[in-house]
Amino acid sequence: MGTLSVDLFLTLDGVYQAPGGPDEDTSDGFTFGGWQAAYSDEEAGAAIVAGIDRMDALLLGRRTYDIFAGYWPKQSDHIGDTLNALPKFVVSRTLTDPGWEGTTALTDVKEVAAVKERFNDVHVIGSGVLARSLLEADLVDRLNLYLYPLTFGTGKRLFPDGAGVPAAFRLAQPPQAFPNGAILLAYDRAGDPVTGIDISQS
């Protein structure tokens, strides 16, 4: 079975909404879209591209899929060529005929296990709601979290109040800091959390 990685751009308070542009996702009145570019630099860009180059399949939630499908088929740069050529999967109960060439629609998160059987390195980009569902189904093998030094106090969060499941992770590689302040934290799934220990007795 292959591995499933979730790649997310996050603020310090866990917001993943609309990093790429001011109009990318304004739902719920979000007015801070386009926050990633101010912290972009050559090293961070190289790390993001390296992650894209490693994947052999792309998995997206419906909202992120619509954003990507409206943009990347029109691009002919390295990232565009790579994403356009990859096998793509979108989890949606309503999308039956995806327009982005090479895309297969899945109706349920449970179908992702079969995708992992077919590919070596499947990546989810963005797609926070899908990422939570995959974590709940224990299908995520790695979290690649690009952490940016800002907070909004509002916006879609990876783990809003009451969300998330008990899970432990371990560093997959040393943290990678970039010149403009972003940090890449890569974690592999590592079973259940260890709790119940009195730190004064450890």
Side-chain angles (χ1 to χ4, degrees), residues 7 9 19-20 24 48 52 55 58-75 79-80 83-84 86 88 100 103 123-127:
D7 303 345
F9 306 124
E24 188 176 69
I48 292 168
I52 291 172
M55 69 178 74
L58 176 63
L59 174 66
L60 300 170
R62 175 62 188 273
R63 182 178 289 276
T64 304
Y65 174 81
D66 286 343
I67 293 169
F68 276 37
Y71 179 79
W72 287 113
K74 304 170 188 175
Q75 309 306 312
I79 296 176
L83 295 180
N84 288 322
L86 282 173
K88 293 168 282 290
W100 193 3
T103 302
H123 283 239
V124 177
I125 299 179
S127 308

PDB file of all heavy atoms in Angstrom, residues 7 9 19-20 24 48 52 55 58-75 79-80 83-84 86 88 100 103 123-127:
ATOM      1  N   ASP A   7      -0.781  17.949   2.481  1.00  0.00           N
ATOM      2  CA  ASP A   7       0.053  19.142   2.388  1.00  0.00           C
ATOM      3  C   ASP A   7      -0.826  20.363   2.634  1.00  0.00           C
ATOM      4  O   ASP A   7      -1.745  20.632   1.849  1.00  0.00           O
ATOM      5  CB  ASP A   7       0.682  19.257   1.002  1.00  0.00           C
ATOM      6  CG  ASP A   7       1.501  18.034   0.620  1.00  0.00           C
ATOM      7  OD1 ASP A   7       1.821  17.232   1.496  1.00  0.00           O
ATOM      8  OD2 ASP A   7       1.810  17.891  -0.582  1.00  0.00           O
ATOM      9  N   PHE A   9      -1.018  24.613   3.912  1.00  0.00           N
ATOM     10  CA  PHE A   9      -0.468  25.905   4.284  1.00  0.00           C
ATOM     11  C   PHE A   9      -1.332  26.445   5.424  1.00  0.00           C
ATOM     12  O   PHE A   9      -2.545  26.613   5.260  1.00  0.00           O
ATOM     13  CB  PHE A   9      -0.494  26.865   3.092  1.00  0.00           C
ATOM     14  CG  PHE A   9       0.177  26.320   1.862  1.00  0.00           C
ATOM     15  CD1 PHE A   9      -0.507  26.239   0.661  1.00  0.00           C
ATOM     16  CD2 PHE A   9       1.491  25.883   1.906  1.00  0.00           C
ATOM     17  CE1 PHE A   9       0.110  25.735  -0.485  1.00  0.00           C
ATOM     18  CE2 PHE A   9       2.124  25.382   0.776  1.00  0.00           C
ATOM     19  CZ  PHE A   9       1.427  25.307  -0.423  1.00  0.00           C
ATOM     20  N   PRO A  19      -5.050  30.784   0.951  1.00  0.00           N
ATOM     21  CA  PRO A  19      -3.680  31.303   0.971  1.00  0.00           C
ATOM     22  C   PRO A  19      -3.262  31.918  -0.365  1.00  0.00           C
ATOM     23  O   PRO A  19      -2.420  32.813  -0.401  1.00  0.00           O
ATOM     24  CB  PRO A  19      -2.837  30.068   1.288  1.00  0.00           C
ATOM     25  CG  PRO A  19      -3.653  28.921   0.776  1.00  0.00           C
ATOM     26  CD  PRO A  19      -5.077  29.315   1.023  1.00  0.00           C
ATOM     27  N   GLY A  20      -3.854  31.438  -1.468  1.00  0.00           N
ATOM     28  CA  GLY A  20      -3.341  31.779  -2.789  1.00  0.00           C
ATOM     29  C   GLY A  20      -3.803  33.079  -3.405  1.00  0.00           C
ATOM     30  O   GLY A  20      -3.182  33.562  -4.351  1.00  0.00           O
ATOM     31  N   GLU A  24      -9.851  33.742  -3.579  1.00  0.00           N
ATOM     32  CA  GLU A  24      -9.799  32.279  -3.673  1.00  0.00           C
ATOM     33  C   GLU A  24     -10.943  31.619  -2.908  1.00  0.00           C
ATOM     34  O   GLU A  24     -11.548  30.665  -3.385  1.00  0.00           O
ATOM     35  CB  GLU A  24      -8.448  31.791  -3.132  1.00  0.00           C
ATOM     36  CG  GLU A  24      -8.195  30.313  -3.341  1.00  0.00           C
ATOM     37  CD  GLU A  24      -6.801  29.931  -2.872  1.00  0.00           C
ATOM     38  OE1 GLU A  24      -6.547  29.961  -1.655  1.00  0.00           O
ATOM     39  OE2 GLU A  24      -5.961  29.623  -3.730  1.00  0.00           O
ATOM     40  N   ILE A  48       8.112  23.208  -1.892  1.00  0.00           N
ATOM     41  CA  ILE A  48       6.760  22.913  -2.369  1.00  0.00           C
ATOM     42  C   ILE A  48       6.824  22.153  -3.692  1.00  0.00           C
ATOM     43  O   ILE A  48       6.120  21.154  -3.879  1.00  0.00           O
ATOM     44  CB  ILE A  48       5.954  24.219  -2.506  1.00  0.00           C
ATOM     45  CG1 ILE A  48       5.699  24.820  -1.121  1.00  0.00           C
ATOM     46  CG2 ILE A  48       4.631  23.965  -3.225  1.00  0.00           C
ATOM     47  CD1 ILE A  48       5.164  26.242  -1.149  1.00  0.00           C
ATOM     48  N   ILE A  52       5.541  18.282  -4.857  1.00  0.00           N
ATOM     49  CA  ILE A  52       4.702  18.002  -6.029  1.00  0.00           C
ATOM     50  C   ILE A  52       5.378  16.991  -6.941  1.00  0.00           C
ATOM     51  O   ILE A  52       4.736  16.092  -7.491  1.00  0.00           O
ATOM     52  CB  ILE A  52       4.394  19.316  -6.774  1.00  0.00           C
ATOM     53  CG1 ILE A  52       3.463  20.187  -5.917  1.00  0.00           C
ATOM     54  CG2 ILE A  52       3.768  19.050  -8.140  1.00  0.00           C
ATOM     55  CD1 ILE A  52       3.248  21.587  -6.451  1.00  0.00           C
ATOM     56  N   MET A  55       4.897  13.213  -5.824  1.00  0.00           N
ATOM     57  CA  MET A  55       3.596  12.537  -5.840  1.00  0.00           C
ATOM     58  C   MET A  55       3.336  11.839  -7.169  1.00  0.00           C
ATOM     59  O   MET A  55       3.805  12.275  -8.214  1.00  0.00           O
ATOM     60  CB  MET A  55       2.475  13.523  -5.514  1.00  0.00           C
ATOM     61  CG  MET A  55       2.214  14.571  -6.571  1.00  0.00           C
ATOM     62  SD  MET A  55       0.824  15.679  -6.162  1.00  0.00           S
ATOM     63  CE  MET A  55       1.546  16.706  -4.886  1.00  0.00           C
ATOM     64  N   LEU A  58      -2.930  12.801  -7.119  1.00  0.00           N
ATOM     65  CA  LEU A  58      -3.394  13.968  -6.377  1.00  0.00           C
ATOM     66  C   LEU A  58      -4.834  13.729  -5.948  1.00  0.00           C
ATOM     67  O   LEU A  58      -5.677  13.323  -6.751  1.00  0.00           O
ATOM     68  CB  LEU A  58      -3.317  15.215  -7.265  1.00  0.00           C
ATOM     69  CG  LEU A  58      -3.855  16.529  -6.698  1.00  0.00           C
ATOM     70  CD1 LEU A  58      -3.055  16.957  -5.471  1.00  0.00           C
ATOM     71  CD2 LEU A  58      -3.820  17.619  -7.772  1.00  0.00           C
ATOM     72  N   LEU A  59      -5.106  13.973  -4.668  1.00  0.00           N
ATOM     73  CA  LEU A  59      -6.438  13.797  -4.102  1.00  0.00           C
ATOM     74  C   LEU A  59      -6.906  15.129  -3.535  1.00  0.00           C
ATOM     75  O   LEU A  59      -6.175  15.776  -2.779  1.00  0.00           O
ATOM     76  CB  LEU A  59      -6.394  12.736  -2.996  1.00  0.00           C
ATOM     77  CG  LEU A  59      -7.661  12.505  -2.177  1.00  0.00           C
ATOM     78  CD1 LEU A  59      -8.777  11.928  -3.043  1.00  0.00           C
ATOM     79  CD2 LEU A  59      -7.357  11.561  -1.012  1.00  0.00           C
ATOM     80  N   LEU A  60      -8.128  15.555  -3.881  1.00  0.00           N
ATOM     81  CA  LEU A  60      -8.630  16.854  -3.467  1.00  0.00           C
ATOM     82  C   LEU A  60     -10.068  16.761  -2.970  1.00  0.00           C
ATOM     83  O   LEU A  60     -10.826  15.879  -3.376  1.00  0.00           O
ATOM     84  CB  LEU A  60      -8.594  17.838  -4.645  1.00  0.00           C
ATOM     85  CG  LEU A  60      -7.229  18.124  -5.274  1.00  0.00           C
ATOM     86  CD1 LEU A  60      -7.401  18.907  -6.563  1.00  0.00           C
ATOM     87  CD2 LEU A  60      -6.328  18.866  -4.301  1.00  0.00           C
ATOM     88  N   GLY A  61     -10.420  17.699  -2.086  1.00  0.00           N
ATOM     89  CA  GLY A  61     -11.812  17.902  -1.741  1.00  0.00           C
ATOM     90  C   GLY A  61     -12.470  18.750  -2.812  1.00  0.00           C
ATOM     91  O   GLY A  61     -11.811  19.343  -3.662  1.00  0.00           O
ATOM     92  N   ARG A  62     -13.791  18.838  -2.770  1.00  0.00           N
ATOM     93  CA  ARG A  62     -14.523  19.481  -3.864  1.00  0.00           C
ATOM     94  C   ARG A  62     -14.167  20.961  -4.024  1.00  0.00           C
ATOM     95  O   ARG A  62     -13.958  21.442  -5.150  1.00  0.00           O
ATOM     96  CB  ARG A  62     -16.035  19.339  -3.626  1.00  0.00           C
ATOM     97  CG  ARG A  62     -16.913  20.074  -4.645  1.00  0.00           C
ATOM     98  CD  ARG A  62     -16.703  19.542  -6.056  1.00  0.00           C
ATOM     99  NE  ARG A  62     -17.392  20.348  -7.060  1.00  0.00           N
ATOM    100  CZ  ARG A  62     -18.659  20.162  -7.428  1.00  0.00           C
ATOM    101  NH1 ARG A  62     -19.389  19.209  -6.869  1.00  0.00           N
ATOM    102  NH2 ARG A  62     -19.201  20.908  -8.355  1.00  0.00           N
ATOM    103  N   ARG A  63     -14.100  21.720  -2.945  1.00  0.00           N
ATOM    104  CA  ARG A  63     -13.833  23.158  -3.086  1.00  0.00           C
ATOM    105  C   ARG A  63     -12.439  23.397  -3.657  1.00  0.00           C
ATOM    106  O   ARG A  63     -12.260  24.206  -4.569  1.00  0.00           O
ATOM    107  CB  ARG A  63     -13.984  23.876  -1.750  1.00  0.00           C
ATOM    108  CG  ARG A  63     -13.755  25.388  -1.849  1.00  0.00           C
ATOM    109  CD  ARG A  63     -13.962  26.082  -0.530  1.00  0.00           C
ATOM    110  NE  ARG A  63     -15.364  26.114  -0.158  1.00  0.00           N
ATOM    111  CZ  ARG A  63     -16.225  27.047  -0.588  1.00  0.00           C
ATOM    112  NH1 ARG A  63     -15.812  27.998  -1.416  1.00  0.00           N
ATOM    113  NH2 ARG A  63     -17.465  27.038  -0.196  1.00  0.00           N
ATOM    114  N   THR A  64     -11.438  22.710  -3.132  1.00  0.00           N
ATOM    115  CA  THR A  64     -10.082  22.886  -3.654  1.00  0.00           C
ATOM    116  C   THR A  64      -9.990  22.391  -5.087  1.00  0.00           C
ATOM    117  O   THR A  64      -9.312  22.985  -5.923  1.00  0.00           O
ATOM    118  CB  THR A  64      -9.058  22.157  -2.764  1.00  0.00           C
ATOM    119  OG1 THR A  64      -9.186  22.631  -1.427  1.00  0.00           O
ATOM    120  CG2 THR A  64      -7.639  22.411  -3.243  1.00  0.00           C
ATOM    121  N   TYR A  65     -10.693  21.305  -5.378  1.00  0.00           N
ATOM    122  CA  TYR A  65     -10.705  20.799  -6.752  1.00  0.00           C
ATOM    123  C   TYR A  65     -11.228  21.860  -7.715  1.00  0.00           C
ATOM    124  O   TYR A  65     -10.645  22.097  -8.781  1.00  0.00           O
ATOM    125  CB  TYR A  65     -11.556  19.539  -6.866  1.00  0.00           C
ATOM    126  CG  TYR A  65     -11.706  19.075  -8.299  1.00  0.00           C
ATOM    127  CD1 TYR A  65     -10.694  18.343  -8.912  1.00  0.00           C
ATOM    128  CD2 TYR A  65     -12.831  19.411  -9.053  1.00  0.00           C
ATOM    129  CE1 TYR A  65     -10.803  17.952 -10.245  1.00  0.00           C
ATOM    130  CE2 TYR A  65     -12.946  19.022 -10.379  1.00  0.00           C
ATOM    131  CZ  TYR A  65     -11.935  18.295 -10.963  1.00  0.00           C
ATOM    132  OH  TYR A  65     -12.040  17.924 -12.289  1.00  0.00           O
ATOM    133  N   ASP A  66     -12.323  22.518  -7.361  1.00  0.00           N
ATOM    134  CA  ASP A  66     -12.885  23.540  -8.243  1.00  0.00           C
ATOM    135  C   ASP A  66     -11.889  24.683  -8.471  1.00  0.00           C
ATOM    136  O   ASP A  66     -11.771  25.208  -9.588  1.00  0.00           O
ATOM    137  CB  ASP A  66     -14.188  24.088  -7.656  1.00  0.00           C
ATOM    138  CG  ASP A  66     -15.348  23.112  -7.779  1.00  0.00           C
ATOM    139  OD1 ASP A  66     -15.246  22.157  -8.579  1.00  0.00           O
ATOM    140  OD2 ASP A  66     -16.363  23.302  -7.070  1.00  0.00           O
ATOM    141  N   ILE A  67     -11.160  25.069  -7.408  1.00  0.00           N
ATOM    142  CA  ILE A  67     -10.153  26.128  -7.545  1.00  0.00           C
ATOM    143  C   ILE A  67      -9.027  25.667  -8.481  1.00  0.00           C
ATOM    144  O   ILE A  67      -8.637  26.383  -9.415  1.00  0.00           O
ATOM    145  CB  ILE A  67      -9.585  26.512  -6.165  1.00  0.00           C
ATOM    146  CG1 ILE A  67     -10.671  27.180  -5.310  1.00  0.00           C
ATOM    147  CG2 ILE A  67      -8.377  27.441  -6.312  1.00  0.00           C
ATOM    148  CD1 ILE A  67     -10.288  27.361  -3.849  1.00  0.00           C
ATOM    149  N   PHE A  68      -8.519  24.469  -8.246  1.00  0.00           N
ATOM    150  CA  PHE A  68      -7.420  23.944  -9.067  1.00  0.00           C
ATOM    151  C   PHE A  68      -7.864  23.737 -10.516  1.00  0.00           C
ATOM    152  O   PHE A  68      -7.134  24.066 -11.454  1.00  0.00           O
ATOM    153  CB  PHE A  68      -6.911  22.624  -8.484  1.00  0.00           C
ATOM    154  CG  PHE A  68      -5.896  22.769  -7.384  1.00  0.00           C
ATOM    155  CD1 PHE A  68      -5.991  23.787  -6.451  1.00  0.00           C
ATOM    156  CD2 PHE A  68      -4.859  21.867  -7.275  1.00  0.00           C
ATOM    157  CE1 PHE A  68      -5.064  23.911  -5.429  1.00  0.00           C
ATOM    158  CE2 PHE A  68      -3.905  21.983  -6.261  1.00  0.00           C
ATOM    159  CZ  PHE A  68      -4.015  23.019  -5.343  1.00  0.00           C
ATOM    160  N   ALA A  69      -9.047  23.155 -10.696  1.00  0.00           N
ATOM    161  CA  ALA A  69      -9.528  22.846 -12.047  1.00  0.00           C
ATOM    162  C   ALA A  69      -9.805  24.109 -12.855  1.00  0.00           C
ATOM    163  O   ALA A  69      -9.769  24.083 -14.092  1.00  0.00           O
ATOM    164  CB  ALA A  69     -10.791  21.987 -11.970  1.00  0.00           C
ATOM    165  N   GLY A  70     -10.061  25.211 -12.172  1.00  0.00           N
ATOM    166  CA  GLY A  70     -10.273  26.471 -12.860  1.00  0.00           C
ATOM    167  C   GLY A  70      -8.984  27.198 -13.202  1.00  0.00           C
ATOM    168  O   GLY A  70      -8.995  28.162 -13.983  1.00  0.00           O
ATOM    169  N   TYR A  71      -7.876  26.758 -12.636  1.00  0.00           N
ATOM    170  CA  TYR A  71      -6.607  27.466 -12.813  1.00  0.00           C
ATOM    171  C   TYR A  71      -5.540  26.646 -13.539  1.00  0.00           C
ATOM    172  O   TYR A  71      -5.006  27.073 -14.561  1.00  0.00           O
ATOM    173  CB  TYR A  71      -6.083  27.915 -11.444  1.00  0.00           C
ATOM    174  CG  TYR A  71      -4.758  28.636 -11.503  1.00  0.00           C
ATOM    175  CD1 TYR A  71      -4.693  29.980 -11.880  1.00  0.00           C
ATOM    176  CD2 TYR A  71      -3.560  27.985 -11.197  1.00  0.00           C
ATOM    177  CE1 TYR A  71      -3.479  30.649 -11.946  1.00  0.00           C
ATOM    178  CE2 TYR A  71      -2.345  28.645 -11.267  1.00  0.00           C
ATOM    179  CZ  TYR A  71      -2.308  29.983 -11.635  1.00  0.00           C
ATOM    180  OH  TYR A  71      -1.103  30.630 -11.706  1.00  0.00           O
ATOM    181  N   TRP A  72      -5.234  25.449 -13.023  1.00  0.00           N
ATOM    182  CA  TRP A  72      -4.052  24.737 -13.506  1.00  0.00           C
ATOM    183  C   TRP A  72      -4.147  24.230 -14.939  1.00  0.00           C
ATOM    184  O   TRP A  72      -3.113  24.185 -15.644  1.00  0.00           O
ATOM    185  CB  TRP A  72      -3.700  23.588 -12.551  1.00  0.00           C
ATOM    186  CG  TRP A  72      -3.107  24.091 -11.281  1.00  0.00           C
ATOM    187  CD1 TRP A  72      -3.654  24.028 -10.037  1.00  0.00           C
ATOM    188  CD2 TRP A  72      -1.863  24.787 -11.119  1.00  0.00           C
ATOM    189  NE1 TRP A  72      -2.836  24.639  -9.114  1.00  0.00           N
ATOM    190  CE2 TRP A  72      -1.729  25.105  -9.753  1.00  0.00           C
ATOM    191  CE3 TRP A  72      -0.853  25.169 -12.001  1.00  0.00           C
ATOM    192  CZ2 TRP A  72      -0.623  25.790  -9.258  1.00  0.00           C
ATOM    193  CZ3 TRP A  72       0.251  25.844 -11.513  1.00  0.00           C
ATOM    194  CH2 TRP A  72       0.345  26.149 -10.158  1.00  0.00           C
ATOM    195  N   PRO A  73      -5.303  23.851 -15.465  1.00  0.00           N
ATOM    196  CA  PRO A  73      -5.325  23.440 -16.876  1.00  0.00           C
ATOM    197  C   PRO A  73      -4.893  24.545 -17.842  1.00  0.00           C
ATOM    198  O   PRO A  73      -4.505  24.261 -18.979  1.00  0.00           O
ATOM    199  CB  PRO A  73      -6.799  23.062 -17.102  1.00  0.00           C
ATOM    200  CG  PRO A  73      -7.280  22.644 -15.761  1.00  0.00           C
ATOM    201  CD  PRO A  73      -6.592  23.586 -14.807  1.00  0.00           C
ATOM    202  N   LYS A  74      -4.922  25.804 -17.397  1.00  0.00           N
ATOM    203  CA  LYS A  74      -4.522  26.931 -18.246  1.00  0.00           C
ATOM    204  C   LYS A  74      -3.037  27.260 -18.104  1.00  0.00           C
ATOM    205  O   LYS A  74      -2.542  28.167 -18.785  1.00  0.00           O
ATOM    206  CB  LYS A  74      -5.343  28.167 -17.883  1.00  0.00           C
ATOM    207  CG  LYS A  74      -6.843  27.956 -17.968  1.00  0.00           C
ATOM    208  CD  LYS A  74      -7.586  29.128 -17.365  1.00  0.00           C
ATOM    209  CE  LYS A  74      -9.082  28.846 -17.270  1.00  0.00           C
ATOM    210  NZ  LYS A  74      -9.799  29.938 -16.563  1.00  0.00           N
ATOM    211  N   GLN A  75      -2.322  26.548 -17.215  1.00  0.00           N
ATOM    212  CA  GLN A  75      -0.914  26.849 -16.938  1.00  0.00           C
ATOM    213  C   GLN A  75      -0.013  25.829 -17.642  1.00  0.00           C
ATOM    214  O   GLN A  75      -0.327  24.645 -17.690  1.00  0.00           O
ATOM    215  CB  GLN A  75      -0.644  26.828 -15.438  1.00  0.00           C
ATOM    216  CG  GLN A  75      -1.610  27.666 -14.615  1.00  0.00           C
ATOM    217  CD  GLN A  75      -1.695  29.109 -15.081  1.00  0.00           C
ATOM    218  OE1 GLN A  75      -0.674  29.752 -15.283  1.00  0.00           O
ATOM    219  NE2 GLN A  75      -2.911  29.607 -15.243  1.00  0.00           N
ATOM    220  N   ILE A  79       4.891  23.273 -12.590  1.00  0.00           N
ATOM    221  CA  ILE A  79       3.843  22.782 -11.691  1.00  0.00           C
ATOM    222  C   ILE A  79       2.590  22.451 -12.474  1.00  0.00           C
ATOM    223  O   ILE A  79       1.963  21.394 -12.269  1.00  0.00           O
ATOM    224  CB  ILE A  79       3.549  23.815 -10.586  1.00  0.00           C
ATOM    225  CG1 ILE A  79       4.773  24.018  -9.696  1.00  0.00           C
ATOM    226  CG2 ILE A  79       2.360  23.359  -9.747  1.00  0.00           C
ATOM    227  CD1 ILE A  79       4.595  25.089  -8.632  1.00  0.00           C
ATOM    228  N   GLY A  80       2.212  23.332 -13.386  1.00  0.00           N
ATOM    229  CA  GLY A  80       1.016  23.074 -14.182  1.00  0.00           C
ATOM    230  C   GLY A  80       1.134  21.797 -14.997  1.00  0.00           C
ATOM    231  O   GLY A  80       0.214  20.970 -15.015  1.00  0.00           O
ATOM    232  N   LEU A  83       0.863  18.744 -12.524  1.00  0.00           N
ATOM    233  CA  LEU A  83      -0.477  18.491 -12.006  1.00  0.00           C
ATOM    234  C   LEU A  83      -1.440  18.052 -13.109  1.00  0.00           C
ATOM    235  O   LEU A  83      -2.285  17.172 -12.893  1.00  0.00           O
ATOM    236  CB  LEU A  83      -1.020  19.740 -11.307  1.00  0.00           C
ATOM    237  CG  LEU A  83      -0.286  20.190 -10.041  1.00  0.00           C
ATOM    238  CD1 LEU A  83      -0.936  21.441  -9.471  1.00  0.00           C
ATOM    239  CD2 LEU A  83      -0.253  19.087  -8.997  1.00  0.00           C
ATOM    240  N   ASN A  84      -1.307  18.643 -14.271  1.00  0.00           N
ATOM    241  CA  ASN A  84      -2.200  18.269 -15.367  1.00  0.00           C
ATOM    242  C   ASN A  84      -1.978  16.834 -15.822  1.00  0.00           C
ATOM    243  O   ASN A  84      -2.919  16.167 -16.275  1.00  0.00           O
ATOM    244  CB  ASN A  84      -2.022  19.238 -16.543  1.00  0.00           C
ATOM    245  CG  ASN A  84      -2.601  20.613 -16.250  1.00  0.00           C
ATOM    246  OD1 ASN A  84      -3.643  20.738 -15.617  1.00  0.00           O
ATOM    247  ND2 ASN A  84      -1.914  21.652 -16.705  1.00  0.00           N
ATOM    248  N   LEU A  86      -0.867  14.321 -13.829  1.00  0.00           N
ATOM    249  CA  LEU A  86      -1.098  13.343 -12.760  1.00  0.00           C
ATOM    250  C   LEU A  86      -2.508  12.755 -12.799  1.00  0.00           C
ATOM    251  O   LEU A  86      -3.465  13.447 -13.164  1.00  0.00           O
ATOM    252  CB  LEU A  86      -0.920  14.013 -11.394  1.00  0.00           C
ATOM    253  CG  LEU A  86       0.491  14.256 -10.868  1.00  0.00           C
ATOM    254  CD1 LEU A  86       0.413  15.080  -9.591  1.00  0.00           C
ATOM    255  CD2 LEU A  86       1.204  12.927 -10.605  1.00  0.00           C
ATOM    256  N   LYS A  88      -5.797  12.226 -10.982  1.00  0.00           N
ATOM    257  CA  LYS A  88      -6.400  13.067  -9.941  1.00  0.00           C
ATOM    258  C   LYS A  88      -7.692  12.440  -9.456  1.00  0.00           C
ATOM    259  O   LYS A  88      -8.430  11.816 -10.236  1.00  0.00           O
ATOM    260  CB  LYS A  88      -6.666  14.474 -10.499  1.00  0.00           C
ATOM    261  CG  LYS A  88      -5.386  15.244 -10.814  1.00  0.00           C
ATOM    262  CD  LYS A  88      -5.632  16.489 -11.612  1.00  0.00           C
ATOM    263  CE  LYS A  88      -5.870  16.208 -13.075  1.00  0.00           C
ATOM    264  NZ  LYS A  88      -4.685  15.759 -13.808  1.00  0.00           N
ATOM    265  N   TRP A 100     -11.687  18.399 -15.277  1.00  0.00           N
ATOM    266  CA  TRP A 100     -10.230  18.413 -15.391  1.00  0.00           C
ATOM    267  C   TRP A 100      -9.766  17.044 -15.867  1.00  0.00           C
ATOM    268  O   TRP A 100     -10.022  16.022 -15.215  1.00  0.00           O
ATOM    269  CB  TRP A 100      -9.626  18.756 -14.037  1.00  0.00           C
ATOM    270  CG  TRP A 100      -8.175  19.102 -14.032  1.00  0.00           C
ATOM    271  CD1 TRP A 100      -7.332  19.205 -15.099  1.00  0.00           C
ATOM    272  CD2 TRP A 100      -7.379  19.408 -12.871  1.00  0.00           C
ATOM    273  NE1 TRP A 100      -6.068  19.545 -14.684  1.00  0.00           N
ATOM    274  CE2 TRP A 100      -6.070  19.677 -13.320  1.00  0.00           C
ATOM    275  CE3 TRP A 100      -7.669  19.473 -11.508  1.00  0.00           C
ATOM    276  CZ2 TRP A 100      -5.048  20.015 -12.458  1.00  0.00           C
ATOM    277  CZ3 TRP A 100      -6.644  19.804 -10.637  1.00  0.00           C
ATOM    278  CH2 TRP A 100      -5.347  20.073 -11.113  1.00  0.00           C
ATOM    279  N   THR A 103      -9.243  13.168 -14.087  1.00  0.00           N
ATOM    280  CA  THR A 103      -9.841  13.170 -12.757  1.00  0.00           C
ATOM    281  C   THR A 103     -10.907  12.095 -12.627  1.00  0.00           C
ATOM    282  O   THR A 103     -11.752  11.927 -13.511  1.00  0.00           O
ATOM    283  CB  THR A 103     -10.488  14.533 -12.441  1.00  0.00           C
ATOM    284  OG1 THR A 103      -9.500  15.553 -12.546  1.00  0.00           O
ATOM    285  CG2 THR A 103     -11.075  14.544 -11.040  1.00  0.00           C
ATOM    286  N   HIS A 123      -0.960  12.588  -2.631  1.00  0.00           N
ATOM    287  CA  HIS A 123      -0.952  13.811  -1.834  1.00  0.00           C
ATOM    288  C   HIS A 123      -2.304  14.499  -1.890  1.00  0.00           C
ATOM    289  O   HIS A 123      -2.942  14.558  -2.942  1.00  0.00           O
ATOM    290  CB  HIS A 123       0.119  14.789  -2.338  1.00  0.00           C
ATOM    291  CG  HIS A 123       1.505  14.431  -1.924  1.00  0.00           C
ATOM    292  ND1 HIS A 123       2.307  15.273  -1.169  1.00  0.00           N
ATOM    293  CD2 HIS A 123       2.242  13.323  -2.155  1.00  0.00           C
ATOM    294  CE1 HIS A 123       3.479  14.683  -0.968  1.00  0.00           C
ATOM    295  NE2 HIS A 123       3.464  13.505  -1.558  1.00  0.00           N
ATOM    296  N   VAL A 124      -2.715  15.013  -0.747  1.00  0.00           N
ATOM    297  CA  VAL A 124      -3.833  15.935  -0.644  1.00  0.00           C
ATOM    298  C   VAL A 124      -3.236  17.329  -0.492  1.00  0.00           C
ATOM    299  O   VAL A 124      -2.353  17.530   0.338  1.00  0.00           O
ATOM    300  CB  VAL A 124      -4.714  15.614   0.585  1.00  0.00           C
ATOM    301  CG1 VAL A 124      -5.837  16.639   0.725  1.00  0.00           C
ATOM    302  CG2 VAL A 124      -5.264  14.204   0.498  1.00  0.00           C
ATOM    303  N   ILE A 125      -3.681  18.283  -1.300  1.00  0.00           N
ATOM    304  CA  ILE A 125      -3.233  19.665  -1.164  1.00  0.00           C
ATOM    305  C   ILE A 125      -4.425  20.499  -0.712  1.00  0.00           C
ATOM    306  O   ILE A 125      -5.510  20.434  -1.308  1.00  0.00           O
ATOM    307  CB  ILE A 125      -2.661  20.212  -2.481  1.00  0.00           C
ATOM    308  CG1 ILE A 125      -1.441  19.389  -2.912  1.00  0.00           C
ATOM    309  CG2 ILE A 125      -2.279  21.681  -2.330  1.00  0.00           C
ATOM    310  CD1 ILE A 125      -0.826  19.833  -4.227  1.00  0.00           C
ATOM    311  N   GLY A 126      -4.226  21.276   0.362  1.00  0.00           N
ATOM    312  CA  GLY A 126      -5.353  22.046   0.898  1.00  0.00           C
ATOM    313  C   GLY A 126      -6.440  21.107   1.380  1.00  0.00           C
ATOM    314  O   GLY A 126      -6.177  20.151   2.097  1.00  0.00           O
ATOM    315  N   SER A 127      -7.697  21.412   0.989  1.00  0.00           N
ATOM    316  CA  SER A 127      -8.803  20.470   1.231  1.00  0.00           C
ATOM    317  C   SER A 127      -8.930  20.123   2.707  1.00  0.00           C
ATOM    318  O   SER A 127      -8.924  18.945   3.086  1.00  0.00           O
ATOM    319  CB  SER A 127      -8.591  19.198   0.402  1.00  0.00           C
ATOM    320  OG  SER A 127      -8.365  19.488  -0.956  1.00  0.00           O
TER     321      SER A 127
END
